[in-house]
Amino acid sequence: MTTARELFVRILAGAAVLWAAASLAFVVLQMLPSDPVQVIYGADSTVTQEMRDRIRTEYGLDRPIWEQYGQFVGRILQGDLGSSYQQRRSVVSIITSELGSTITLAVLATIFALTLATIASVTTAGKQSRARSIVSAFELLAISTPAFWIGLLLLTFLSFQWPIFPVMGDDSWRSLVLPVTTLGLAIFGTLSQVMRAEMDIALEQPFALTARTRGLSEWSVRWRHALRHALIPGLTISAEMFGALLAGAIITERVFGRPGLGRITLQAVTNQDIPVVVGVVLFVATVFVITNIAVDLLYRLIDPRLRSTAA
């Protein structure tokens, strides 16, 4: 299968995933017991039948389910995610206004975790040393500790005990250090374990022995040959975790008082602003699909064998 054909298949599969996510979101939306009209006016407000009918007509809630579903999918295809019940703004404008902060946080956390995992796996793979035992214990600790607890510990020691970094806010690069470290450490453990396991296997392969007999140093074998094998599963996990970071940034942004998708999602869930919740779900699903397609293309840059197979 050529690269172009495989990319086309991936795009079709991604479109099917987004359609399934949108349909599931619509079904969940219909099953919720909350009344959109009451959400718009507030739980304690008295809503007349005339006001109720006007709102239901405005949002298309008075039409048959199948017609509502058709309009729901049609709007999504046009990039329209509807309007917020609470803010009376388009969901797209709400998401884009908060997107930059969350994307910055997720990208920096992924880079931090991937860099840390690469250094840990390259320096400890293929060895049974004390350094490997210490790194493995740290990985296990990072995996088993909830992200919000890591954030609270960092705040306690690096903001309250020693005021090195700000407690909250989004004013400078210093305000990013603790949130990025919190999210990065949360995914570092899994990433490092997988990459080191791949490097352990790669260092035992004939090509590694051939490289050593040609006079390459052990560091060159690790960085130039074995690491290439470890990066493929590392990128796969990073792509999956990047999407999870966008959704999982809710707690971290809350702990550090930062703006972002986490804040608006939490507000939307609390206020039962369903269009915003559905919009965020579809946005995260879209990021998952695009990131996975991009990683598939990166595989061919990292491993030449995949290019020859595709051709």
Side-chain angles (χ1 to χ4, degrees):
M1 184 183 292
T2 63
T3 301
R5 185 175 179 183
E6 189 171 348
L7 178 61
F8 179 70
V9 172
R10 293 282 184 183
I11 292 174
L12 283 182
V17 170
L18 293 179
W19 171 77
S23 299
L24 182 61
F26 179 82
V27 171
V28 172
L29 180 64
Q30 298 300 318
M31 294 175 64
L32 289 175
S34 61
D35 182 3
V37 179
Q38 205 64 51
V39 171
I40 291 172
Y41 283 103
D44 299 328
S45 302
T46 302
V47 183
T48 64
Q49 188 59 43
E50 181 183 358
M51 296 163 65
R52 189 177 296 276
D53 292 341
R54 182 173 59 81
I55 290 296
R56 293 183 66 82
T57 302
E58 180 180 341
Y59 283 88
L61 301 174
D62 57 339
R63 298 174 183 173
I65 291 295
W66 62 268
E67 190 174 339
Q68 291 184 42
Y69 176 73
Q71 290 182 341
F72 175 73
V73 175
R75 286 201 311 270
I76 291 175
L77 291 175
Q78 298 173 13
D80 180 6
L81 298 177
S83 299
S84 163
Y85 291 157
Q86 290 283 321
Q87 302 185 42
R88 307 303 292 269
R89 295 166 52 197
S90 73
V91 174
V92 172
S93 69
I94 293 173
I95 291 176
T96 52
S97 66
E98 302 284 344
L99 186 58
S101 180
T102 301
I103 289 287
T104 301
L105 185 61
V107 169
L108 291 179
T110 304
I111 293 174
F112 172 72
L114 192 57
T115 302
L116 207 59
T118 300
I119 295 172
S121 57
V122 168
T123 54
T124 61
K127 302 176 181 176
Q128 294 298 330
S129 61
R130 179 174 295 180
R132 176 167 177 149
S133 300
I134 294 173
V135 171
S136 297
F138 184 67
E139 292 165 354
L140 189 60
L141 184 65
I143 292 172
S144 58
T145 306
F148 77 89
W149 186 243
I150 296 176
L152 292 177
L153 288 176
L154 292 175
L155 278 175
T156 300
F157 290 104
L158 299 179
S159 293
F160 297 122
Q161 188 74 24
W162 300 290
I164 301 173
F165 300 106
V167 177
M168 59 177 58
D170 187 27
D171 302 329
S172 65
W173 65 268
R174 294 175 66 245
S175 64
L176 274 169
V177 173
L178 295 187
V180 166
T181 305
T182 299
L183 282 178
L185 287 178
I187 63 174
F188 153 74
T190 304
L191 200 55
S192 181
Q193 286 184 342
V194 172
M195 289 181 66
R196 187 171 54 248
E198 288 295 322
M199 284 198 67
D200 284 339
I201 297 173
L203 288 171
E204 298 296 328
Q205 297 299 309
F207 72 84
L209 178 61
T210 303
R212 291 188 185 100
T213 56
R214 289 171 54 193
L216 287 180
S217 65
E218 184 63 23
W219 280 107
S220 295
V221 173
R222 289 169 181 268
W223 283 101
R224 294 175 56 183
H225 297 281
L227 180 60
R228 182 173 294 174
H229 293 260
L231 278 179
I232 292 178
L235 281 175
T236 303
I237 295 176
S238 298
E240 293 177 356
M241 289 187 171
F242 179 74
L245 284 180
L246 290 180
I250 295 174
I251 297 176
T252 304
E253 289 175 351
R254 184 71 174 173
V255 169
F256 292 96
R258 292 180 55 81
L261 288 180
R263 183 176 65 176
I264 64 170
T265 304
L266 191 61
Q267 290 175 348
V269 171
T270 303
N271 298 326
Q272 298 183 336
D273 198 349
I274 303 303
V276 176
V277 178
V278 172
V280 172
V281 170
L282 293 178
F283 171 75
V284 173
T286 304
V287 171
F288 263 113
V289 169
I290 294 175
T291 306
N292 277 282
I293 292 174
V295 168
D296 283 343
L297 296 177
L298 277 176
Y299 286 167
R300 287 159 177 76
L301 295 177
I302 295 172
D303 193 340
R305 295 174 302 174
L306 297 178
R307 287 199 293 267
S308 59
T309 302

